[in-house]
């Protein structure tokens, strides 16, 4: 049985912390005055009043910087002076804090002592000011010069038996310019080992959409939300994870749009919203959002979506020619007959039992769908992190194809990305399975032969490190250990390395579980000015809807020792490749326009990059599916057929999913309160149905241990407080990343290989301590 240890744990695990958890009534409305108070408190504490106000007024502005948080887009036209949400403001304050982690800090704190602290405590210490080196056998990090650091990394890389023994990870915060240089360096080094955070989130979306509509991205723009008559939000919690999306939903609702919320937990953000920057957000009850809530069982989405499709097809039989878009189906799709037969053969009894949603509710959702001429489907991790994640998303596509809800204004599919440039990184070539056309263009532009063999994704990279088949791990951003599954297995894999390198702004767990040697390379944040040899520079990002825009930080860097991410990549490439590369890395670092010129020649859709990205709001990338051009092998959008997933739980077992609190962004923990769910003072909680608690004899607040079960293996996470909540029977929910230790490394989604963090089979026992 594996369980979290003091050195690799993702959060404090003491019984005392669990005892501090307080349960209060959940919020009835998202946003409003509490959001303003929470924002002000965090910003003032981390940045100070004057500095905080100046910085926030530049956030998401056309002449300012792009939010380093989520990837929700900004409006094309006039923007609010306060174009940010509570979580975005917290993220900015977290990055732009005035606290500093200096060499003196590292002299005081050993790695073992730091490992005993929580992730929240580590993050709160502030910005790292200097490159730091942990030598083999040392107990403390020590300062190191940049030249020595690059020389050390280059020496280790060049001593490998094969380039595939190095892993180059990327976080979704990395800019287009840094990502493009990074993949160029890695491929000139000789490998496609470019795993990224997308492997753990929307990889399933890309796989599903690529097969069915020929593009792995969403097909809508923000303007489509203004035109939609129905919006379905499934497996997503906008109020916590993408709060600015609530503004778009509120506007759509006021335009008469019907909203359908599908999720195992009712989320306040989809129930009622008070815009904190409008007068109505200060007084009154706010805007009611969801017209219909379908409380689906965890991983009951295939059954639910099939049920809605079944109701649509039944209505089409009752009203021939009035329900389905037969012209669209005939001209643009393939596989309709097989799909329709499979749906008709599925029994209502089976669909309602698997989804835990009644036939009447499924038919009500179908009626909303049928009466809408312009429908958008949005989703996030609640669909993408299951064994059958690709099937989940392809069932959405099936439903949308029935009424031709692709390639027209106000309609389309919308996978909502969780990090500000995770989509842009993939566009720039951060992918272990790069398209042949991309590699051909890269070869022509830089006169070299890129490797053609596919590299490791995130899960395969961890397995390769664990097996000793990879020896060096380099991360361009992120908190790899806390973000990945099977914490103990991943920690053991990292310890197998000869060298681990983290490009970071703040302390995190990945700095403390290392290889024989470890480096921390501190970089500029999104909020900071970037001065290079030719003058001030800006970077670009791509949001969740394919808009590429400029981002210009203005704050003074947290330290004069910081380098930009493009500069770090370029100097590492120079040190490692030497005369093997014909690229003028120094010139690219001096002037980012030169990087963008190369991108223009390699990546489709970036013509006249430097000119267009300087326009207010940037530019929209082409999307063939948006124009009803489906770049699949058969040139059509494809209906698909899927079996219903099965979970044969033992009598004492539950199906657990991980979720985020309202006081975190990914692995960055800002505090211990989740006011939207009524949890205060702690994060180690497990949400259970009240009837399940009664049947098991658990009481509210009781301390329990969670044990996951997979192919005869057990993993344990200790000291969680039981919280009664509105959740389907035999389901459980816990916070990420505290329960990543329970997610088996080998339990992955079909086709996408994404870790199955939303369908973890667990049992629950009372804690002995």
């Amino acid at each position: 049985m594996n369980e979290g240890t003091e050195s690799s744990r993702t959060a404090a695990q003491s019984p005392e912390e669990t005892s501090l958890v307080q349960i209060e009534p959940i919020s009835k409305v998202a946003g409003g005055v509490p959001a303003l108070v929470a924002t002000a408190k965090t910003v003032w504490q981390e940045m100070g009043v004057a500095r905080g106000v100046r910085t926030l007024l530049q956030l998401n502005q056309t002449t300012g910087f792009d939010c380093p948080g989520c990837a929700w887009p900004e409006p094309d036209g006039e923007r609010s002076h306060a174009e940010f949400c509570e979580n975005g403001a917290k993220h900015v304050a977290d990055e732009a804090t005035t606290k500093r982690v200096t060499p003196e800090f590292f002299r005081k704190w050993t790695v073992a002592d730091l490992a005993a602290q929580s992730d929240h405590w580590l993050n709160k210490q502030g910005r790292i000011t200097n490159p730091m080196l942990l030598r083999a056998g040392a107990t403390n990090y020590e300062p190191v010069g940049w030249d020595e650091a690059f020389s050390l990394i280059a020496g280790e890389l060049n001593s490998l038996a094969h380039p595939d023994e190095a892993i180059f990870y990327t976080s979704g915060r990395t800019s287009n310019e840094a990502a493009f240089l990074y993949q160029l360096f890695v491929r000139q080094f000789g490998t496609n080992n470019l795993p990224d955070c997308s492997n753990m989130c929307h990889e399933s979306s890309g796989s599903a959409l690529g097969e069915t509509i020929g593009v792995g991205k969403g097909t809508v723009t923000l303007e489509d939300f203004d035109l939609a008559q129905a919006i379905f939000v499934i497996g997503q919690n906008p109020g916590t994870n993408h709060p600015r999306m609530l503004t778009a939903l509120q506007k759509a609702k006021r335009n008469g749009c019907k909203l359908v919320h599908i999720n195992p937990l009712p989320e306040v953000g989809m129930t009622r919203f008070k815009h904190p920057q409008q007068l109505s957000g200060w007084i009154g009850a706010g805007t009611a959002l969801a017209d219909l809530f379908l409380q689906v069982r965890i991983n009951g989405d295939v059954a639910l979506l099939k049920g809605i499709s079944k109701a649509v097809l039944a209505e089409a039989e009752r009203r021939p020619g009035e329900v389905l878009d037969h012209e669209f189906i005939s001209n643009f799709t393939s596989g309709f007959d097989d799909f329709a037969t499979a749906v008709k053969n599925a029994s209502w009894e089976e669909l309602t039992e698997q989804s835990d949603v009644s036939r009447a509710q499924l038919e009500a959702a179908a009626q909303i769908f049928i009466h809408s001429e312009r429908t958008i489907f949005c989703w996030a991790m609640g669909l993408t992190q299951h064994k059958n994640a690709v099937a989940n998303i392809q069932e959405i596509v099936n439903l949308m194809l029935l009424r031709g809800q692709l390639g027209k204004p106000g309609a389309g599919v919308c996978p909502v990305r969780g990090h500000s440039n995770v989509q842009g990184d993939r566009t720039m070539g951060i992918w272990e399975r790069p398209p042949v056309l991309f590699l051909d263009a890269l070869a022509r532009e830089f006169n070299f032969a890129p490797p053609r063999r596919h590299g490791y994704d995130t899960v395969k990279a961890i397995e390769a490190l664990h097996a000793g088949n990879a020896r060096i791990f380099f991360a361009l951003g992120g908190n790899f250990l806390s973000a990945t599954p099977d914490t103990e297995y991943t920690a053991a894999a990292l310890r197998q390395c000869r060298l681990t390198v983290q490009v970071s702004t703040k302390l995190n767990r990945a700095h403390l579980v290392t290889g024989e040697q470890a480096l921390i390379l501190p970089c500029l944040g999104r909020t900071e000015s970037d001065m290079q040899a030719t003058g001030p520079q800006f970077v670009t990002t791509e949001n969740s809807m394919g808009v590429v825009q400029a981002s210009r930080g203005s704050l003074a860097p947290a330290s004069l020792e910081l380098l930009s991410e493009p500069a770090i990549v370029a100097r590492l490439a120079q040190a490692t490749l030497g005369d093997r590369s014909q690229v003028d890395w120094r010139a690219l670092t001096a002037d980012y326009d030169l990087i963008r010129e190369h991108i223009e020649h390699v990546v489709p859709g970036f013509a006249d990059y430097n000119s267009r990205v300087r326009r207010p709001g940037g530019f929209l990338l082409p999307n063939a599916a948006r124009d009803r051009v489906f770049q699949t092998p058969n040139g059509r959008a494809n209906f698909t057929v899927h079996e219903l997933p099965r979970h044969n739980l033992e009598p004492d077992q539950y199906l657990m999913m991980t979720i985020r609190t309202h006081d975190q962004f990914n692995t960055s923990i800002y505090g211990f309160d989740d006011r939207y769910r009524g949890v205060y003072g702690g994060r180690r909680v497990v949400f259970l149905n009240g009837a399940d608690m009664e049947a098991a004899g658990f009481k509210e607040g009781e301390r329990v241990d969670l044990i996951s079960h997979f192919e005869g293996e057990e993993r344990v996470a200790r000291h969680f407080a039981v919280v009664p909540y509105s959740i389907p029977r035999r389901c459980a929910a816990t916070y990420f990343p505290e329960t990543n230790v329970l997610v088996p490394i080998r339990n992955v989604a079909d086709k996408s290989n994404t870790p199955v963090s939303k369908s973890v089979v667990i049992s629950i026992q009372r804690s002995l301590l």
Side-chain angles (χ1 to χ4, degrees):
M1 180 181 292
N2 294 330
E3 59 183 287
T5 66
E6 291 299 305
S7 59
S8 65
R9 66 192 184 185
T10 57
Q13 297 186 5
S14 66
E16 291 76 14
E17 183 198 346
T18 308
S19 66
L20 297 176
V21 174
Q22 297 180 3
I23 310 302
E24 299 182 11
I26 65 172
S27 297
K28 296 181 179 180
V29 60
V33 174
L36 285 174
V37 172
T39 298
K41 180 179 178 182
T42 300
V43 171
W44 302 168
Q45 287 177 344
E46 295 292 339
M47 302 174 64
V49 176
R51 186 168 179 264
V53 170
R54 286 197 306 270
T55 304
L56 290 182
L57 290 177
Q58 298 174 50
L59 176 56
N60 293 324
Q61 301 299 323
T62 56
T63 58
F65 63 94
D66 188 41
C67 181
C70 84
W72 189 255
E74 293 74 44
D76 275 346
E78 185 177 349
R79 300 182 183 182
S80 164
H81 291 298
E83 190 64 50
F84 56 85
C85 66
E86 175 187 345
N87 281 12
K90 287 179 178 177
H91 198 89
V92 168
D94 190 66
E95 176 185 292
T97 180
T98 56
K99 301 171 186 174
R100 299 290 180 262
V101 175
T102 64
E104 288 72 22
F105 175 93
F106 285 104
R107 277 194 286 269
K108 176 183 176 183
W109 288 88
T110 67
V111 170
D113 288 340
L114 289 172
Q117 306 301 317
S118 70
D119 280 17
H120 175 258
W121 185 93
L122 294 172
N123 183 66
K124 282 293 185 182
Q125 301 315 297
R127 291 287 298 278
I128 302 170
T129 61
N130 294 73
M132 303 300 298
L133 168 65
L134 182 67
R135 299 186 186 275
T139 60
N140 293 65
Y141 276 95
E142 63 184 68
V144 63
W146 281 106
D147 287 343
E148 183 182 350
F150 291 130
S151 177
L152 189 158
I153 301 168
E156 290 288 349
L157 287 173
N158 287 326
S159 69
L160 294 172
H162 191 278
D164 284 342
E165 291 184 343
I167 305 294
F168 297 92
Y169 176 76
T170 313
S171 159
R173 188 201 64 188
T174 305
S175 68
N176 285 343
E177 291 74 14
F180 186 80
L181 286 189
Y182 191 48
Q183 63 81 30
L184 174 62
F185 157 59
V186 170
R187 292 189 166 108
Q188 288 204 337
F189 178 66
T191 184
N192 282 313
N193 286 346
L194 283 159
D196 71 334
C197 58
S198 185
N199 296 149
M200 297 182 284
C201 58
H202 272 291
E203 196 69 52
S204 299
S205 298
S207 298
L209 296 176
E211 289 182 353
T212 53
I213 64 172
V215 60
K217 301 179 182 182
T219 65
V220 300
T221 66
L222 191 58
E223 289 67 36
D224 287 319
F225 280 74
D226 296 339
L227 303 174
Q229 294 178 344
I231 299 173
F232 288 69
V233 179
I234 179 170
Q236 183 198 1
N237 177 14
T240 287
N241 300 329
H242 314 91
R244 283 192 300 135
M245 181 178 175
L246 296 183
T247 302
L249 295 179
Q250 181 187 55
K251 186 177 180 181
K253 180 69 174 178
R254 290 173 174 173
N255 289 340
C257 180
K258 296 286 187 180
L259 302 182
V260 180
H261 177 207
I262 306 170
N263 204 53
L265 278 68
E267 299 293 4
V268 174
M270 283 302 299
T271 304
R272 187 173 292 274
F273 175 56
K274 297 173 73 172
H275 198 310
Q277 298 172 19
Q278 297 176 356
L279 180 60
S280 59
W282 290 69
I283 59 177
T287 303
L289 294 180
D291 296 275
L292 178 65
F293 172 50
L294 304 181
Q295 190 166 21
V296 64
R297 176 178 286 133
I298 292 176
N299 203 21
D301 306 284
V302 168
L304 180 143
L305 292 163
K306 276 182 179 288
I308 298 176
S309 292
K310 186 177 181 70
V312 171
L313 290 173
E315 185 73 7
E317 289 184 353
R318 288 189 290 270
R319 296 193 288 132
E322 299 180 26
V323 175
L324 303 184
D325 189 336
H326 291 285
E327 182 179 359
F328 176 85
I329 292 172
S330 175
N331 293 339
F332 294 102
T333 76
S334 176
F336 170 75
D337 290 339
D338 289 342
F339 166 75
T341 299
V343 170
K344 291 176 183 178
N345 289 339
S347 71
W348 276 114
E349 181 180 11
E350 189 174 37
L351 297 177
T352 56
E353 191 279 329
Q354 289 289 320
S355 65
D356 201 32
V357 176
S358 71
R359 176 175 176 176
Q361 286 182 301
L362 295 174
E363 289 176 335
Q367 286 301 314
I368 292 175
F369 182 74
I370 289 168
H371 287 96
S372 168
E373 294 301 321
R374 299 183 295 276
T375 301
I376 295 174
F377 245 97
C378 305
W379 70 88
M381 305 301 96
L383 291 193
T384 66
Q385 295 179 329
H386 298 278
K387 179 72 173 174
N388 49 279
V390 171
N392 287 341
I393 296 152
Q394 290 184 341
E395 288 292 353
I396 290 176
V397 175
N398 288 336
L399 184 58
M400 296 290 273
L401 295 180
L402 290 177
R403 287 184 47 77
Q405 297 290 359
L406 288 172
K408 63 181 182 180
V413 292
C414 181
V416 183
R417 308 284 176 170
H419 212 161
S420 62
N421 200 42
V422 63
Q423 186 161 296
D425 289 347
R426 180 59 57 88
T427 302
M428 292 297 106
I430 300 295
W431 197 14
E432 73 282 354
R433 295 179 287 121
V436 172
L437 291 178
F438 178 88
L439 293 180
D440 290 345
L442 198 68
R444 289 193 299 270
E445 181 70 6
F446 295 101
N447 192 30
F448 81 109
R452 301 285 170 159
R453 177 183 175 183
H454 287 172
Y456 297 129
D457 63 18
T458 295
V459 168
K460 291 180 180 178
I462 295 169
E463 292 174 332
L465 291 168
H466 197 276
N469 295 326
R471 304 306 308 276
I472 294 176
F473 177 80
F474 187 104
L476 189 60
N479 181 357
F480 188 77
L481 179 61
S482 291
T484 47
D486 214 338
T487 311
E488 290 307 307
Y489 183 96
T490 302
L494 291 171
R495 292 191 183 100
Q496 291 275 90
C497 292
R498 289 190 344 214
L499 175 67
T500 50
V501 184
Q502 308 286 338
V503 177
S504 306
T505 57
K506 305 185 78 177
L507 271 177
N508 65 55
R509 187 68 48 188
H511 301 143
L512 310 176
V513 178
T514 71
E516 296 174 19
Q517 297 185 90
L519 278 163
I520 303 173
L521 305 182
C523 66
L524 293 173
R526 190 77 62 79
T527 58
E528 292 169 320
S529 61
D530 184 354
M531 184 65 68
Q532 300 297 334
T534 62
Q537 305 295 313
F538 68 89
V539 294
T540 60
T541 60
E542 177 186 344
N543 65 34
S544 207
M545 296 180 188
V547 175
V548 179
Q549 57 198 347
S551 179
R552 301 172 176 84
S554 61
L555 294 179
S559 165
L560 295 178
E561 290 293 317
L562 303 185
L563 294 181
S564 70
E565 287 183 324
I568 289 173
V569 172
R571 289 182 62 174
L572 176 59
Q574 283 180 295
T576 304
L577 302 175
D579 294 337
R580 288 177 285 165
S581 174
Q582 300 176 26
V583 176
D584 189 344
W585 298 98
R586 188 182 299 275
L588 296 179
T589 303
D591 185 355
Y592 296 175
D593 276 359
L594 300 180
I595 305 175
R596 288 185 282 271
E597 287 178 5
H598 285 301
I599 293 172
E600 178 179 331
H601 299 156
V602 173
V603 184
F606 283 82
D608 200 17
Y609 192 178
N610 277 310
S611 175
R612 289 197 295 158
V613 83
R614 283 176 164 84
R615 299 171 188 166
F619 61 92
L620 179 66
L621 289 174
N623 186 304
R626 190 184 294 134
D627 300 322
R628 292 192 168 180
V629 175
F630 301 108
Q631 297 175 332
T632 58
N634 62 6
R636 289 175 168 259
N638 294 302
F639 285 93
T640 51
V641 176
H642 305 282
E643 297 294 325
L644 294 179
R646 303 288 180 181
H647 295 284
N648 299 315
L649 299 177
E650 297 296 329
D652 65 338
Q653 291 180 341
Y654 307 81
L655 198 60
M656 184 200 82
M657 68 177 188
T658 60
I659 57 178
R660 296 196 317 204
T661 78
H662 197 62
D663 220 5
Q664 72 178 103
F665 178 79
N666 291 344
T667 59
S668 297
I669 310 302
Y670 304 138
F672 295 102
D673 297 340
D674 189 358
R675 71 174 187 272
Y676 285 177
R677 298 191 183 100
V679 177
Y680 294 84
R683 295 176 47 84
R684 298 186 73 80
V685 300
V686 54
F687 296 100
L688 294 177
N689 183 285
D692 285 336
M693 288 175 57
E694 183 177 357
F698 295 135
K699 298 179 181 178
E700 179 179 314
E702 186 171 4
R703 288 202 298 268
V704 296
D705 299 334
L706 312 180
I707 303 97
S708 70
H709 306 271
F710 179 75
E711 296 183 350
E713 302 170 352
E714 292 186 349
R715 294 161 176 82
V716 63
R718 300 197 183 279
H719 308 305
F720 283 72
V722 176
V723 176
Y725 209 77
S726 177
I727 188 171
R729 294 292 304 269
R730 307 293 298 281
C731 294
T734 57
Y735 292 136
F736 161 96
E738 281 77 1
T739 49
N740 282 3
V741 68
L742 299 176
V743 181
I745 189 70
R746 291 182 292 106
N747 192 10
V748 294
D750 298 330
K751 298 184 179 180
S752 69
N753 213 42
T754 296
V756 176
S757 300
K758 297 290 191 289
S759 295
V760 182
V761 176
I762 65 167
S763 58
I764 304 175
Q765 299 177 354
R766 288 179 175 82
S767 297
L768 298 178
L769 298 178

